[in-house]
Amino acid sequence: MKTALITGVTGQDGSYLAELLLANGYTVHGIISRSSSFNTERIDPFYRDPHDPEARLFLHYGDLADGTSLRRILENVRPDEIYNLGAQSHVMVSFQQPEYTADIVATGTLRLLESVRDYQAHTGRSVRIYQAGSSEMFGSTPPPQREISRFAPRSPYGVAKVAAFHYGVNYREAYDLFVACGILFNHESPRRGETFVTRKISRAVGRIRVGLQENLYLGNLGAKRDWGYAGDYVEAMWRMLQAEAPGDYVVATGVAYSVGEFCEEAFSAAGLNWRNHVRVDPRYLRPAEVQHLCGDATKARNELGWRPTVAFVDLVRMMVEHDTELAQQERTLQAAGHKVKPHTAVPA
Ligand code: NAP
Ligand code: G4F
């Protein structure tokens, strides 16, 4: 049975990928960051205490900013596959923390590649690496974007992902490492972080629906994204590492909608008219925007046999249903006298 190591295991994708790999019989090791509050909410449902003989998911403290921890974990875990999903992944935050974003997203990837290069050289074992690239790398290049489209990033996050992508390709060419770079378009789910626009919308719809909130404040309603379901996209990551040779693959649905259209669909799923509740607040506008992303995943379909299974409307409904349930729980607790509030202090 194979052993996998995941950076960013506590994130949206990390949690779906860990579940997929466990279901495929893998032993899974995840790197988690030290936090003053719990950050394992997404993996708690399937995590088992390590004393349980059935446990196959193990967690290690480490950080992409800390090369020593990466090397130590690699030596202990001896993985067959590494999925590098760890990142400061918020585009707007990358304008506020560009150096930190570059350090984790770009240099963090370099630290990991260097660790694997040395590890392979002294153990003779080979390791396959998945590098989490992003459609944000295409930036202002018009759609449809495919593997050969020009990278023209519009944010410090996008620039850092382009650097990480090129590090991956360079280590593949220079040291013959098996590095596959996924260029994934936006993918969402009920586990999506609440500061990304889709989840911000579905959370608000749930709360407005049950009477806990009146308005939702957003930035650019005209930006278009190619939104898929995260559960489908981690399957593509896994397939990339099962291929005979490493390559770069766009993963996308091929259909794009605007933020306004996402609002319309989400509010109407709850029997609401979005125009009565959505307001524009300029604080959510970005210094430079990526206006239109829509991917062409022909290569992934032909070479990996991958295709998306969840359509836009079903994705929106899945998120709205989930978040309506959360809002109902919040209302029940409030009615019973508990002081509960969502994390509204975090700017999104
Ligand atoms: P996410 O939910 O934001 O998860 C990011 C993960 O990285 C979290 O587990 C986070 O830990 C961890 N992390 C943050 N800083 C770290 C550090 N210094 N060292 C190690 N780990 C660190 O992101 P996601 O949506 O799952 O995305 C996964 C990867 O795919 C990211 O690299 C992202 O940039 C990329 N990507 C995402 C999309 C998308 O639409 N979701 C599209 C293209 C590419 P904490 O939980 O403790 O913060
Ligand atoms: O949900 P978003 O923050 O995602 P964005 O910027 O596309 O980035 C996500 O997808 C990338 C793949 O293309 C990933 F690499 C990255 O890690 C992340 O997962 O914003 C989507 C769009 C943007 O155009 C933004 O300007 O929604 C617009 N938007 C409008 N109002 C908003 C808001 N975005 C956020 N987060 N919050 C708003 O209030």
Side-chain angles (χ1 to χ4, degrees):
M1 280 300 119
K2 287 185 185 168
T3 298
L5 175 63
I6 306 176
T7 73
V9 71
T10 54
Q12 171 188 251
D13 292 5
S15 67
Y16 281 109
L17 178 67
E19 265 187 305
L20 174 75
L21 296 177
L22 289 169
N24 287 354
Y26 282 60
T27 296
V28 179
H29 294 263
I31 297 184
I32 58 166
S33 317
R34 149 77 190 147
S35 167
S36 65
S37 51
F38 293 117
N39 59 356
T40 54
E41 195 184 347
R42 295 185 180 101
I43 54 175
D44 286 338
F46 54 88
Y47 179 79
R48 289 180 175 209
D49 187 280
H51 301 102
D52 181 337
E54 301 285 303
R56 278 187 292 119
L57 171 61
F58 304 97
L59 302 177
H60 309 262
Y61 279 114
D63 202 297
L64 286 160
D66 178 3
T68 310
S69 66
L70 299 177
R71 285 173 185 273
R72 193 172 294 137
I73 292 168
L74 203 54
E75 295 290 341
N76 288 337
V77 167
R78 303 168 77 80
D80 302 293
E81 296 173 5
I82 298 178
Y83 296 84
N84 184 30
L85 310 185
Q88 186 306 91
S89 73
H90 202 283
V91 172
M92 184 64 149
V93 172
S94 80
F95 287 102
Q96 286 140 14
Q97 293 190 271
E99 289 178 32
Y100 174 73
T101 302
D103 189 37
I104 303 310
V105 173
T107 310
T109 301
L110 180 61
R111 289 185 188 102
L112 186 65
L113 290 168
E114 275 289 273
S115 312
V116 175
R117 175 187 163 204
D118 290 349
Y119 172 78
Q120 282 203 171
H122 84 258
T123 61
R125 295 168 63 100
S126 59
V127 183
R128 295 184 168 208
I129 303 166
Y130 171 80
Q131 169 54 26
S134 162
S135 52
E136 188 70 13
M137 303 191 301
F138 293 122
S140 56
T141 292
Q145 293 95 0
R146 50 179 73 92
E147 291 79 7
I148 53 165
S149 301
R150 192 170 75 92
F151 291 148
R154 300 265 293 159
S155 64
Y157 168 82
V159 172
K161 280 287 182 190
V162 170
F165 173 90
H166 286 303
Y167 283 137
V169 172
N170 180 238
Y171 274 59
R172 191 159 73 203
E173 292 171 353
Y175 307 115
D176 207 22
L177 291 193
F178 189 114
V179 185
C181 297
I183 308 176
L184 272 54
F185 283 62
N186 297 51
H187 44 280
E188 318 295 314
S189 73
R191 296 185 200 169
R192 184 57 142 154
E194 296 185 23
T195 62
F196 297 96
V197 78
T198 56
R199 189 79 199 288
K200 187 174 167 183
I201 296 167
S202 62
R203 279 293 269 145
V205 168
R207 296 187 86 245
I208 291 169
R209 193 179 195 175
V210 305
L212 288 170
Q213 186 175 328
E214 185 56 35
N215 292 320
L216 165 64
Y217 295 92
L218 296 174
N220 182 2
L221 301 179
K224 288 187 164 180
R225 291 291 183 273
D226 177 335
W227 279 297
Y229 170 56
D232 284 342
Y233 286 43
V234 300
E235 168 82 25
M237 298 176 189
W238 176 74
R239 287 185 186 221
M240 282 179 223
L241 293 200
Q242 313 315 307
E244 238 169 67
D248 310 317
Y249 295 93
V250 159
V251 177
T253 70
V255 190
Y257 296 88
S258 69
V259 173
E261 286 168 329
F262 192 104
C263 287
E264 190 176 359
E265 193 60 52
F267 278 83
S268 82
L272 299 163
N273 181 344
W274 72 287
R275 292 192 186 280
N276 295 335
H277 300 278
V278 174
R279 309 278 176 265
V280 171
D281 182 340
R283 75 194 282 239
Y284 298 118
L285 298 175
R286 296 171 180 186
E289 175 65 286
V290 171
Q291 202 54 35
H292 193 174
L293 292 173
C294 188
D296 175 356
T298 305
K299 184 180 173 192
R301 192 169 55 244
N302 291 344
E303 292 186 13
L304 305 175
W306 179 87
R307 46 177 48 76
T309 68
V310 178
F312 175 74
V313 174
D314 299 320
L315 173 64
V316 176
R317 278 164 201 265
M318 180 201 303
M319 293 177 72
V320 168
E321 285 318 307
H322 176 271
D323 286 337
T324 299
E325 229 176 277
L326 273 190
Q328 280 161 346
Q329 286 168 14
E330 186 185 342
R331 197 184 49 182
T332 305
L333 285 170
Q334 275 190 17
H338 295 281
K339 285 191 179 136
V340 283
K341 260 185 94 186
H343 301 290
T344 44
V346 181

